[in-house]
Amino acid sequence: MAAHRKPKQLPCTGSAARTAATLAFAGAATAAALPGSAHAEPQLTPAQIKAKVDRLYHDAEVATEQYNGAKEKAATVTESLGALRDEAARRTERLNASRNALGSLAAAQYRTGGIDPAVQLALSSDPDQYLERASYADRVADRQAGEVSRVRRQVTEITQLRAEANEELAALGARRAELKKHRATVRTKLADARKLLDTLSPAERAAYEQFGTARSADGHADRSAPRAGAQAAPNARSAEAIAFAYGALGKPYVWGATGPSSYDCSGLTQAAWRSAGVSLPRTTYTQINAGQRISRSELAPGDLVFFYSGVSHVGLYIGNGQMIHAPHPGAPVRIAPIDQMPFAGATRVA
């Protein structure tokens, strides 16, 4: 029986115990690293952080430009709707006047309607005058009936247009709400990206924030006029738009802003050219069609330069491969090389 007993386990002590504990810890660490096991998020490199934040900024700008377009269209539809309502009121007033006139005629006809026209003619002391009045009354009735029919038709058309405008406005409202929701989602992603940026060293964070920024010797954004040696603007209007953009250097980027204290990218270009007496549409994807399309090799100061395949960003070209633009939240209006982003096209406004 003794030969079949299980050997008694002796407790580990000393170096044997330490070795066992080390092996157990290593085994646990290995298990934690296996797929399906709980483990910490891998730390992103500075380059990965930059790429992620850039992507989020780009997504936010796409949504902002769509929002700007929806807002502009909603304003146009609202103005059109107001004009339609005013016209409907005017035409309804004319219709009411025609109805009153028709009512007076109907009352007169009712007073004499019980007598056959042939009898009225026979009893008339002046048959010629009766025939003349009857003919005139018929013409008036026909004209008034035609007027009532025409005005009624116009009111019906206006009512239909008003309904269509209301439907379009409601659709735009729904779209705006959708865009707002999308922008809120992007802001959440941007907040996550900012947390990642906070993990960078001060030098890495500064390098990211200043990427593409033209700065003066004291480290502040250069808000001066174009320096000596800068490429000259081809005309007075271009020069004025560029001067305005230089005056905006250092002002913050704000969603949907058109100045004067802050801008988004298309808001800045719109305001710059407005100062030169040129009216541009609100969004990047409409501004690119607001002038003569030109190639990159034809660029001159004052031209609008557009970026990304969806034409979601715009800057004002100032010559020598540089532009002034409003980059993204946290980055003020600045000078940057046009090679900084994927070039999509250019437009000459004037």
Side-chain angles (χ1 to χ4, degrees):
M1 293 294 293
H4 296 287
R5 289 177 183 167
K6 191 173 182 180
K8 186 177 180 180
Q9 298 292 330
L10 297 176
C12 292
T13 58
S15 61
R18 286 193 298 271
T19 301
T22 301
L23 291 173
F25 179 81
T30 302
L34 291 174
S37 302
H39 62 280
E41 282 289 330
Q43 186 171 358
L44 299 177
T45 66
Q48 289 172 326
I49 291 173
K50 178 189 179 303
K52 184 174 181 179
V53 174
D54 285 348
R55 181 71 239 176
L56 289 168
Y57 280 145
H58 173 66
D59 290 344
E61 193 161 47
V62 170
T64 298
E65 289 302 308
Q66 291 174 335
Y67 175 83
N68 290 339
K71 184 178 180 181
E72 183 180 47
K73 190 173 182 180
T76 301
V77 172
T78 300
E79 183 178 355
S80 175
L81 180 60
L84 286 173
R85 286 172 173 167
D86 290 343
E87 182 64 18
R90 286 191 294 269
R91 295 194 181 192
T92 300
E93 186 177 353
R94 290 199 296 268
L95 175 62
N96 290 335
S98 297
R99 282 173 174 168
N100 290 336
L102 186 60
S104 298
L105 179 61
Q109 291 173 339
Y110 175 79
R111 285 193 297 270
T112 60
I115 304 177
D116 185 270
V119 177
Q120 292 184 45
L121 177 61
L123 296 177
S124 175
S125 60
D126 189 344
D128 291 338
Q129 185 181 38
Y130 171 81
L131 291 173
E132 181 180 349
R133 288 177 177 175
S135 176
Y136 176 76
D138 287 342
R139 290 196 303 272
V140 169
D142 290 343
R143 186 171 65 253
Q144 287 181 331
E147 177 69 12
V148 169
S149 177
R150 184 179 67 84
V151 174
R152 192 187 300 275
R153 184 172 59 253
Q154 290 175 338
V155 170
T156 300
E157 292 172 354
I158 290 172
T159 301
Q160 181 179 354
L161 290 174
R162 184 189 299 170
E164 291 174 359
N166 278 329
E167 288 176 4
E168 187 176 359
L169 193 59
L172 287 172
R175 183 182 177 192
R176 186 182 298 173
E178 181 182 353
L179 291 173
K180 184 177 181 181
K181 180 180 179 180
H182 177 67
R183 289 175 62 191
T185 301
V186 173
R187 287 193 182 105
T188 300
K189 294 180 181 180
L190 292 178
D192 293 339
R194 283 194 294 270
K195 291 177 182 177
L196 291 175
L197 285 172
D198 288 341
T199 66
L200 297 175
S201 68
E204 290 169 337
R205 179 68 178 267
Y208 176 80
E209 294 295 342
Q210 296 177 14
F211 179 65
T213 306
R215 297 187 174 270
S216 57
D218 62 358
H220 295 88
D222 186 356
R223 298 173 63 87
S224 64
R227 301 175 209 157
Q231 189 175 344
N235 54 61
R237 283 186 168 181
S238 295
E240 187 141 355
I242 292 171
F244 181 96
Y246 269 93
L249 287 174
K251 292 186 177 182
Y253 179 105
V254 173
W255 310 96
T258 57
S261 58
S262 58
Y263 300 92
D264 64 16
C265 68
S266 56
L268 174 64
T269 51
Q270 184 186 52
W273 272 104
R274 187 192 304 121
S275 73
V278 177
S279 178
L280 291 182
R282 178 64 182 92
T283 64
T284 53
Y285 48 86
T286 51
Q287 288 184 6
I288 195 170
N289 297 316
Q292 176 189 354
R293 297 289 290 272
I294 57 172
S295 67
R296 183 167 178 164
S297 62
E298 297 174 303
L299 283 174
D303 293 338
L304 301 180
V305 283
F306 299 88
F307 304 92
Y308 300 103
S309 59
V311 193
S312 59
H313 190 77
V314 62
L316 185 71
Y317 188 68
I318 58 174
N320 300 320
Q322 302 284 307
M323 66 176 171
I324 295 177
H325 73 138
H328 53 72
V333 176
R334 57 178 56 167
I335 298 172
I338 63 172
D339 291 333
Q340 191 178 86
M341 291 171 284
F343 187 83
T347 293
R348 181 158 297 157
V349 178

